[in-house]
Amino acid sequence: QYAPQAGLPGSTAMYKDSSVFVDWAQTCTIKRGWLDIADTSLGKVNFGDSTYASGKADGNVVSLGDAGEAIYFFENPLINAPGFDFAIFENGFRNPVDSNLAYLELAQVEVSNDGINYYNFASVCNNDTSLQIAGVGEYMDARNLYNLAGKYIGGYGTPFELDELNAIPGLDVNNIHFVKIKDVVGSINETTCVRDSYNKAINDPYPTSFPTGGFDLDALGIIHHLYPTDVSNFNPENEIIFYPNPTQGILYIKSKWVVSDIIIYSLDGRKIVERSKVNSNAINLSSLSKGHYLVSVISENGKRINQFITKDE
């Protein structure tokens, strides 16, 4: 068994007003999921927007829907330090007659240095899979859950410790610029289920075929980041600087080195634009749709800088 529900002895739940939180995530991109992944003709959820997931946990949420995703970007990266490093807040609620039980909706969590390569926290769900947890009215025990966002009730964050990922090749746990939160499709059906790190189906409320269905993201609380709050790390003399950001068309790139290659990626890792042997420190993004992108720049000395940018109308 794992840590119990918020307020019980041994719980790792972190209250939103705790002094351990030094800041709150502000920049979030939402990829909506389905009302019911088994019947996509119903469309996607529509409750809330990305601003509901920004700032301190306050009970205002954005619903991700079946298989929906949220990606947080941190200009000031999260780092691995002693203890938990960040916590994710949802809006579950406790069973009024049994404090061990609560109505919960779950999500898996991944982190990335560059917004392209993501690495997941090993999750565990020991819920019984012989009977589907209904979309409404049923509760689960937090002691069956590990490394799944949404483990705790509203107002209490589920914490994550970057040290668990420290041995993964290619991941720098002291330079985390992206956190991805992926709704768990709680169906125990073999064709639609999501599995934990032991390949067991994660059984959580399903179907939740209404506008507020799926994981309801409230906030991400920061416990450890590289620089003190409000101090940026992207402007030292030897870095490449991107401006204006957000941009409405032309993105300028200021660098002490000659830029050789510019690549634009979507947040799902697709290469959108590629320019090689460029002769200008500017790129026209007018043809891109409004949204968030990752710009990867390679300079003449081989130095690569990745920057999350926003394209406005």
Side-chain angles (χ1 to χ4, degrees):
Q1 290 186 329
Y2 298 98
Q5 190 49 247
L8 299 177
S11 177
T12 58
M14 304 188 116
Y15 186 54
K16 62 184 180 64
D17 290 335
S18 172
S19 60
V20 302
F21 294 114
V22 299
D23 204 357
W24 295 86
Q26 300 295 332
T27 304
C28 183
T29 302
I30 303 298
K31 179 182 177 182
R32 296 287 190 177
W34 303 101
L35 286 163
D36 185 348
I37 201 168
D39 184 3
T40 57
S41 66
L42 296 176
K44 297 184 176 182
V45 299
N46 58 22
F47 184 81
D49 59 44
S50 60
T51 62
Y52 287 45
S54 301
K56 183 178 179 178
D58 59 5
N60 292 317
V61 299
V62 55
S63 297
L64 300 187
D66 285 357
E69 297 180 356
I71 296 177
Y72 282 105
F73 168 71
F74 307 89
E75 184 175 11
N76 184 2
L78 305 180
I79 62 170
N80 177 32
F84 295 115
D85 300 301
F86 65 94
I88 296 170
F89 290 74
E90 214 256 358
N91 66 346
F93 54 90
R94 197 187 302 271
N95 183 324
V97 297
D98 187 342
S99 58
N100 283 296
L101 304 180
Y103 180 84
L104 307 173
E105 292 173 303
L106 306 174
Q108 294 177 313
V109 178
E110 302 177 352
V111 300
S112 172
N113 300 136
D114 56 14
I116 300 170
N117 301 295
Y118 281 88
Y119 303 88
N120 66 292
F121 283 91
S123 60
V124 181
C125 179
N126 287 331
N127 289 340
D128 180 14
T129 56
S130 63
L131 186 65
Q132 177 69 58
I133 295 176
V136 294
E138 292 191 24
Y139 302 95
M140 68 179 80
D141 193 327
R143 292 173 292 185
N144 290 334
L145 308 172
Y146 181 72
N147 271 353
L148 286 162
K151 170 185 170 84
Y152 292 127
I153 58 175
Y156 291 86
T158 303
F160 292 84
E161 188 168 354
L162 289 170
D163 195 57
E164 293 188 19
L165 309 180
N166 198 22
I168 296 178
L171 178 66
D172 182 356
V173 294
N174 290 306
N175 191 39
I176 301 299
H177 284 286
F178 299 86
V179 172
K180 181 186 291 186
I181 300 162
K182 301 170 62 176
D183 172 75
V184 165
V185 179
S187 170
I188 57 175
N189 184 292
E190 287 292 321
T191 61
T192 56
C193 70
V194 173
R195 298 184 180 277
D196 69 7
S197 297
Y198 291 96
N199 203 36
K200 184 178 180 182
I202 300 175
N203 189 4
D204 87 341
Y206 178 84
T208 54
S209 50
F210 31 86
T212 58
F215 187 85
D216 298 313
L217 178 60
D218 187 355
L220 186 151
I222 299 167
I223 301 172
H224 297 125
H225 57 183
L226 185 58
Y227 295 93
T229 303
D230 297 331
V231 177
S232 173
N233 64 314
F234 275 97
N235 293 322
E237 182 182 352
N238 64 342
E239 289 285 7
I240 297 174
I241 301 171
F242 302 80
Y243 67 95
N245 187 12
T247 180
Q248 293 184 328
I250 304 298
L251 180 70
Y252 295 95
I253 303 162
K254 182 180 179 181
S255 171
K256 65 184 294 184
W257 301 293
V258 174
V259 172
S260 63
D261 299 273
I262 302 173
I263 307 172
I264 311 292
Y265 296 93
S266 64
L267 290 189
D268 60 6
R270 291 180 297 113
K271 189 181 295 185
I272 305 296
V273 177
E274 183 172 13
R275 298 285 185 270
S276 298
K277 298 180 181 179
V278 298
N279 55 15
S280 171
N281 280 23
I283 186 167
N284 191 335
L285 304 182
S286 299
S287 62
L288 298 185
S289 302
K290 179 180 179 180
H292 304 285
Y293 299 89
L294 184 78
V295 180
S296 185
V297 169
I298 303 173
S299 64
E300 61 180 346
N301 69 347
K303 184 177 178 65
R304 179 186 289 267
I305 293 291
N306 297 317
Q307 173 67 63
F308 184 82
I309 61 103
T310 300
K311 167 65 168 54
D312 273 351
E313 299 282 29

